[in-house]
């Protein structure tokens, strides 16, 4: 009798959640909102520059404050989610995100907006590991979970694609704060549906959460961001670069030292000994680096050089995102047949081809060719990303699921963080270098001033072309690295071949 009861209990425990797909849609809605906020400002930056008087450097901080805080807090929030339960973490993150959206919408100054964006990042960092952990919780079967994770990635892709379109459309009719205010009704809907159909919260009070480690990580990443921004400038300030490097180094040392003292550290380097795990991290970070770098700078170029309205510039980039959607799902569906290396390294190879086509289209002033190249690049990046979550989560030990979820999210956000710093700084520095001598004193104002715009536009276009060529080179490096990590072409994250 006890054996029968035990078998019945096991069957009940393994029975799939009947609300798993409806709740998965709710989780994806939250993810879509977070991804939307990463890209919605691309079309709004010129308007922000005009209404708030933001400089080029301040504009980069308005964008980067969001992924910076997300990246710094993600590892810790994953462990905190293990402790208090991922459903509760998801709901807390939604509330913080909604309140921060209100603050951002009505920010009176540039730095008030930067602070509000940082709080938006805190809300997103609370939510994001919870979304992935909840997906892992409600889909016990590997095949169905792989499909769900690919769709989960596509929700992020859809949000990133919709961001410029939604931002541009809102700016056609409303003030710039509307790009943040739109989050509030989405937060309310997602909260209500989570209460109604979400799975039971599963806290683990024995799990330790260490806020100090998150603070150290945030310091290290802030220093890294400033170091990258300064190093990417042609007019690098040595003192700023040195101070940034020192902050980064001290933060990293303190973080590493802290982890050695913890029984349950936020990050242990041994997880990277699995090449599938490492390959997934490289795929997620690299794909975001290449795609976001090209899309962000292209949105600016279309408005500032080619005379596109915010809506039409957003629509052009939106086409790239929507065209890439099938590829963000395809990887998970065919992984068991063609393997990680074919999907990930093949995706980066497509990025190389797409970047070169886009560069050529810009050089011959042919917009359809240029846009076609960006579409190919976006498709390749999303194909590479489509199985990165599966590689990271699936290759991690079960007891490290919270850590793996944090690392997975950090990978995407870190790619965004460094590409905004690198691509944005490169574009500005190169544009200033290519300006005609008579406009050198005007600096970036030359592209905004109607009297000097036509003379400055070729310099901006040439700088953008070099940024695209740089991303082609980056994609080539990423293609080689992932081919090595996924050597043997494993078809499941549980199978790693070291030879």
């Amino acid at each position: 009798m006890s054996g029968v009861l035990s078998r019945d209990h096991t069957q009940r425990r393994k029975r799939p959640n009947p609300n798993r797909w409806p709740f998965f849609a709710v989780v994806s809605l939250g993810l879509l909102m977070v991804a939307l906020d990463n890209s919605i400002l691309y079309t709004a930056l010129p308007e922000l520059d005009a209404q708030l008087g933001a400089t080029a450097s301040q504009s980069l901080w308005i964008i980067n404050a969001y992924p910076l805080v997300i990246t710094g807090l993600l590892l810790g929030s994953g462990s905190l989610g293990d402790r208090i339960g991922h459903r509760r973490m998801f709901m807390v993150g939604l509330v913080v995100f909604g309140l921060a959206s209100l603050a951002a919408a009505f920010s009176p100054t540039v730095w008030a907006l930067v602070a509000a964006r940082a709080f938006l990042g805190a809300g997103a960092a609370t939510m994001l590991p919870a979304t992935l952990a909840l997906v892992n919780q409600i889909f016990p079967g590997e095949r169905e979970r792989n499909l769900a994770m690919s769709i989960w990635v596509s929700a992020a892709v859809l949000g990133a694609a919709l961001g410029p379109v939604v931002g541009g459309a809102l700016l056609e009719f409303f003030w710039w704060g509307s790009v943040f205010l739109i989050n509030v009704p989405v937060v309310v809907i997602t909260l209500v549906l989570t209460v109604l159909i979400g799975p039971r919260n599963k806290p683990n009070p024995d799990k330790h959460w260490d806020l100090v480690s998150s603070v150290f990580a945030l310091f290290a990443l802030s220093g890294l961001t400033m170091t990258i921004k300064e190093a990417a400038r042609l007019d690098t300030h040595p003192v700023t670069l040195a101070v940034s490097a020192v902050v980064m180094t001290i933060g990293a040392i303190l973080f590493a030292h802290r982890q050695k003292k913890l029984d349950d550290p936020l990050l242990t380097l041994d997880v990277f000994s699995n090449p599938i795990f490492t390959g997934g991290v490289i795929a997620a970070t690299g794909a975001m680096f290449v795609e976001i770098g090209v899309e962000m700078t292209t949105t600016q170029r279309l408005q500032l050089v080619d005379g596109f309205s915010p809506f039409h510039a957003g629509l052009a980039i939106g086409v790239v995102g929507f065209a890439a959607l099938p590829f963000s799902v395809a990887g998970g569906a065919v992984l068991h047949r063609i393997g990680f290396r074919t999907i990930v390294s093949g995706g980066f190879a497509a990025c190389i081809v797409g970047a070169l086509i886009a560069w050529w289209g810009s050089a011959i002033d042919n917009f359809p060719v240029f846009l076609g190249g960006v579409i190919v690049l976006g498709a390749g990046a999303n194909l590479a990303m489509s199985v990165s979550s599966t590689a990271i989560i699936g290759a991690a030990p079960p007891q490290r699921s919270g850590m793996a979820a944090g690392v997975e999210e950090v990978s995407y956000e870190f790619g965004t963080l460094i590409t905004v710093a690198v691509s944005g700084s490169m574009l500005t520095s190169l544009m200033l270098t290519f300006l005609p001598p008579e406009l050198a004193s005007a600096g970036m104002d030359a592209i905004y001033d109607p009297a000097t715009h036509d003379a400055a536009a070729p310099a901006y276009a040439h700088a953008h072309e070099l940024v695209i060529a740089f991303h082609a080179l980056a994609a080539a490096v990423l293609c080689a690295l992932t081919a090595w990590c996924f050597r043997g072409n494993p078809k499941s994250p549980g199978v790693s071949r070291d030879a």
Side-chain angles (χ1 to χ4, degrees):
M1 176 67 74
S2 62
V4 173
L5 290 175
S6 177
R7 286 194 299 273
D8 290 343
H9 174 72
T10 300
Q11 290 172 357
R12 285 196 302 271
R13 181 169 54 85
K14 292 183 178 180
R15 187 178 300 137
N17 187 326
N19 289 325
R20 63 192 183 280
W21 284 108
F23 182 66
F24 174 73
V26 174
V27 169
S28 298
L29 181 62
L31 176 65
L32 183 145
M33 177 179 62
V34 171
L36 190 88
D37 256 53
N38 246 335
S39 61
I40 200 169
L41 285 187
Y42 296 169
T43 49
L45 276 181
E47 191 72 18
L48 286 172
D49 292 341
Q51 294 193 25
L52 289 179
T55 65
S57 177
Q58 288 172 331
S59 295
L60 290 181
W61 275 114
I62 291 172
I63 294 179
N64 245 352
Y66 184 68
L68 173 62
V69 175
I70 292 176
T71 307
L73 298 181
L74 268 177
L75 288 175
S77 60
S79 298
L80 181 58
D82 289 339
R83 179 178 176 83
I84 71 171
H86 293 290
R87 173 181 160 163
R88 181 174 299 167
M89 280 289 288
F90 182 59
M91 296 177 70
V92 169
L94 283 168
V95 173
V96 173
F97 199 89
L99 294 175
S101 295
L102 284 172
F106 299 102
S107 297
T109 66
V110 172
W111 291 113
L113 179 56
V114 171
R117 286 280 289 173
F119 278 104
L120 274 167
T126 307
M127 258 193 291
L128 285 173
T131 64
L132 193 57
L134 287 168
V135 170
N136 203 41
Q137 177 182 329
I138 62 178
F139 291 104
E142 181 179 350
R143 185 74 61 85
E144 196 174 33
R145 185 170 61 249
N146 288 349
L147 177 60
M149 284 187 176
S150 291
I151 299 173
W152 180 88
V153 172
S154 73
V157 173
L158 180 61
L162 284 173
V165 180
V166 173
L170 289 171
L171 289 174
E172 291 285 323
F173 303 101
F174 307 104
W175 96 115
W176 62 264
S178 61
V179 301
F180 300 108
L181 205 58
I182 193 175
N183 293 330
V184 177
V186 178
V187 165
V188 173
I189 292 170
T190 308
L191 270 172
V192 171
L193 291 176
T194 300
V195 171
L196 292 177
I197 63 174
R200 181 173 59 88
N201 193 52
K202 295 182 178 180
N204 180 6
D206 296 330
K207 196 76 173 179
H208 178 68
W209 173 59
D210 187 59
L211 176 61
V212 176
S213 293
S214 295
V215 173
F216 289 157
L218 193 56
F219 268 102
L221 288 168
S222 298
L224 175 63
T225 302
M226 283 301 301
T227 301
I228 292 173
K229 285 167 68 72
E230 281 301 316
R233 292 164 53 119
L234 296 181
D235 57 338
T236 300
H237 300 140
V239 175
T240 304
L241 181 62
V243 171
S244 301
V246 168
V247 171
M248 174 190 68
T249 303
I250 292 176
I253 291 173
L254 290 174
F255 177 82
H257 183 67
R258 180 75 177 179
Q259 302 317 293
K260 294 178 181 179
K261 293 183 176 181
L262 299 176
D263 294 329
D264 191 13
L266 298 187
L267 180 65
T268 56
L269 295 181
D270 62 298
V271 295
F272 291 94
S273 63
N274 187 321
I276 295 179
F277 182 94
T278 302
V281 171
I282 293 173
T285 302
M288 292 298 286
F289 180 89
V290 172
E291 182 177 20
I292 297 300
V294 171
E295 289 185 358
M296 182 192 71
T297 55
T298 297
T299 306
Q300 302 305 302
R301 179 248 172 90
L302 293 178
Q303 294 179 79
L304 296 176
V305 175
D306 300 315
F308 281 48
S309 69
F311 175 69
H312 289 102
L315 196 61
I317 297 302
V319 168
V320 175
F322 286 114
L325 270 175
F327 296 91
S328 67
V329 180
V334 300
L335 173 62
H336 62 286
R337 292 204 298 270
I338 65 175
F340 279 107
R341 187 171 62 182
T342 304
I343 295 171
V344 176
S345 301
F348 283 122
C351 288
I352 301 170
V353 174
L356 293 176
I357 293 174
W359 173 83
W360 179 56
S362 178
I364 63 174
D365 197 23
N366 188 314
F367 180 71
V369 172
F370 170 79
L371 184 62
V374 180
I375 288 174
V376 172
L377 181 146
N382 281 278
L383 182 63
M385 279 191 290
S386 67
V387 293
S388 59
S389 297
T390 300
I392 296 170
I393 300 300
Q399 67 272 20
R400 300 292 192 192
S401 61
M403 179 189 295
V407 170
E408 191 267 353
E409 287 295 348
V410 164
S411 301
Y412 289 113
E413 296 301 330
F414 185 65
T416 300
L417 176 68
I418 58 176
T419 199
V420 170
V422 172
S423 304
S425 298
M426 281 185 63
L427 182 62
T428 301
S429 296
L430 289 170
M431 185 264 187
L432 294 176
T433 301
F434 296 140
L435 274 177
E438 62 272 18
L439 297 180
S441 60
M444 285 298 297
D445 290 338
I447 196 69
Y448 293 101
D449 188 344
T452 57
H453 173 272
D454 290 346
Y460 198 101
H462 188 30
H464 180 248
E465 289 165 5
L466 290 183
V467 170
I468 291 176
F470 167 76
H471 282 89
L473 178 61
V477 174
L478 292 163
C479 182
L481 286 175
T482 53
W484 182 82
C485 288
F486 295 120
R487 55 195 182 277
N489 197 24
K491 297 178 174 62
S492 170
V495 179
S496 174
R497 299 179 185 181
D498 295 323

